[in-house]
Amino acid sequence: MENSLPEHIAIIMDGNGRWAKKRFMPRSFGHRAGAQSLNKLLKEADKIGIKHITVYAFSTENWSRSEDEVSALMNLLREYIDDYIKDNKNSNIKIDAIGDLSRLDKELQSKIKKLEEISSHKKGLNLHIGLNYGGRDEIIRAVKKLCLNVKNDIISENNIDEKLFSSYLDTKNIPDPELVIRTSGEQRLSNFLPWQSVYSEFYFTDKLWPDFDIKELIKAIEQFKNRDRRFGGR
Ligand code: FPP
């Protein structure tokens, strides 16, 4: 039987650097093109009825990139938020961030808060942006909160199950992704949504992220629809 349209698609937007290199341009040029590509894709994905998209914009490991690249990515994020706020009447997209935002600079943290508030009443696609996000870090943060609540007798250890644990994760209000896409030919999860993706279908493409458009997304969805999802059963 054919699967229906995935409700939640998670995307590892990889290949910006190589896309720029092919054009003899700096890596930041590729990230900028990647942000534009994301924006176009979101509008189209909203039109075809996708409800959630989670993107890996900055991982807990990305701090080890050069200072220049980290600051280019942070600036791009600031610009992205400013543009959304300026033009928000024309957008249907609701945005929030997942990850440990406390390591971002204070001004950026308040910008993200404002973005979340301004977009909170939007009725279209939900965009979840992974910022200083790492799956293992998310699990450790959840365990710490859970331990504290057990210690303070707010919950009993006997009540801990998968559902309760999920409610301690950054993705507590988001269904698990049915489909995870990674561009640029790499075939690994790189610490992106490890808890949430245990039953996800994976789609890998050689396309570099700035070249990934709605046609490519539809190809991924078509392939997803033809997969046999058994969830461990027969
Ligand atoms: C991976 O490509 C991409 C990133 C680490 C950053 C992704 C960010 C964006 C697409 C733009 C910012 C998004 C928002 C929401 C403003 P890479 O640099 O690892 O590419 P490479 O593997 O070719 O070097």
Side-chain angles (χ1 to χ4, degrees):
M1 203 180 74
E2 212 185 56
N3 298 311
S4 47
L5 191 71
E7 188 181 7
H8 181 187
I9 301 176
I11 308 179
I12 303 176
M13 312 180 287
D14 201 2
N16 296 341
R18 277 163 283 167
W19 186 91
K21 194 169 178 205
K22 277 196 346 208
R23 288 159 180 79
F24 308 101
M25 295 298 278
R27 298 178 58 80
S28 57
F29 182 75
H31 293 315
R32 188 167 286 279
Q36 282 162 2
S37 153
L38 173 64
N39 257 345
K40 269 199 227 139
L41 190 73
L42 292 171
K43 286 197 189 98
E44 300 293 334
D46 184 37
K47 279 191 213 151
I48 64 170
I50 304 293
K51 287 279 160 278
H52 299 269
I53 288 191
T54 303
V55 292
Y56 211 5
F58 195 91
S59 75
T60 45
E61 289 73 33
N62 285 153
W63 296 106
S64 66
R65 295 195 175 197
S66 74
E67 220 175 285
D68 273 2
E69 185 168 356
V70 170
S71 92
L73 278 166
M74 292 298 156
N75 284 333
L76 195 56
L77 184 65
R78 280 189 193 92
E79 256 180 60
Y80 190 86
I81 298 177
D82 287 342
D83 288 349
Y84 180 93
I85 292 174
K86 241 190 277 160
D87 199 33
N88 91 89
K89 285 192 302 300
N90 298 319
S91 182
N92 204 18
I93 293 170
K94 184 168 165 179
I95 309 183
D96 59 41
I98 60 165
D100 180 4
L101 304 185
S102 68
R103 195 170 162 190
L104 305 178
D105 85 43
K106 289 273 174 298
E107 175 248 335
L108 187 53
Q109 288 181 42
S110 48
K111 260 192 205 298
I112 293 167
K113 230 191 193 138
K114 188 166 170 203
L115 172 74
E116 290 178 338
E117 275 163 23
I118 283 188
S119 76
S120 63
H121 63 279
K122 300 287 184 183
K123 299 275 181 276
L125 184 148
N126 294 277
L127 170 67
H128 314 288
I129 307 181
L131 289 174
N132 191 30
Y133 176 85
R136 288 186 172 181
D137 177 70
E138 178 190 35
I139 291 170
I140 297 289
R141 284 186 285 109
V143 168
K144 285 183 178 164
K145 282 182 261 175
L146 203 51
C147 287
L148 202 65
N149 281 351
V150 172
K151 193 169 122 195
N152 293 332
D153 279 336
I154 294 167
I155 56 161
S156 147
E157 147 191 3
N158 297 326
N159 292 336
I160 301 176
D161 58 10
E162 293 182 12
K163 189 161 176 250
L164 182 91
F165 188 74
S166 296
S167 74
Y168 279 76
L169 295 171
D170 300 342
T171 50
K172 53 184 167 296
N173 300 316
I174 314 172
D176 287 344
E178 298 98 320
L179 175 62
V180 177
I181 294 174
R182 182 167 190 154
T183 58
S184 91
E186 311 293 342
Q187 303 196 355
R188 30 172 204 278
L189 199 51
S190 300
N191 209 6
F192 189 47
L193 304 174
W195 171 277
Q196 299 84 345
S197 64
V198 286
Y199 285 114
S200 304
E201 296 295 324
F202 288 82
Y203 178 86
F204 300 109
T205 167
D206 287 340
K207 284 272 168 195
L208 302 176
W209 174 251
D211 296 326
F212 191 89
D213 58 13
I214 185 66
K215 278 212 294 260
E216 296 298 324
L217 184 71
I218 287 171
K219 240 195 256 176
I221 293 172
E222 288 308 318
Q223 204 184 99
F224 166 81
K225 284 183 171 172
N226 289 319
R227 300 259 181 104
D228 185 13
R229 306 189 78 209
R230 288 196 295 271
F231 304 97
R234 288 301 308 149

